[in-house]
Amino acid sequence: MIQRQGEWWYQGSSISEGTEDFDLAFWQAQPAEAIFAAAWELVETACVIKGGDPAELRLQRTVGAFGPIPS
């Protein structure tokens, strides 16, 4: 059974039981900002593990021009 007490979530179960229901309930209850922050933290951690510098991470995009969209 998944229970929430304040900001803490917990599930009483044995180690052999899966945690998929708990994980799903937890992440569905989080705001989008928390989900994106957690995802970005994983990206930074992966970068460090691979020997990179997280400060160099950024979205790669090319901008051709700024201006109104032609109609």
Side-chain angles (χ1 to χ4, degrees):
M1 175 196 289
I2 301 167
Q3 296 182 358
R4 182 176 181 182
Q5 186 172 3
E7 293 184 22
W8 291 91
W9 288 71
Y10 62 93
Q11 175 183 11
S13 63
S14 69
I15 257 184
S16 63
E17 292 181 46
T19 61
E20 295 85 12
D21 292 338
F22 176 82
D23 293 341
L24 187 61
F26 175 81
W27 287 109
Q28 285 181 341
Q30 303 305 308
E33 294 82 14
I35 295 169
F36 288 123
W40 187 250
E41 185 178 342
L42 289 173
V43 169
E44 290 179 326
T45 301
C47 180
V48 169
I49 289 171
K50 292 178 181 180
D53 180 6
E56 295 177 2
L57 292 172
R58 64 182 188 91
L59 294 175
Q60 295 181 7
R61 56 185 169 250
T62 303
V63 177
F66 287 101
I69 299 174
S71 40

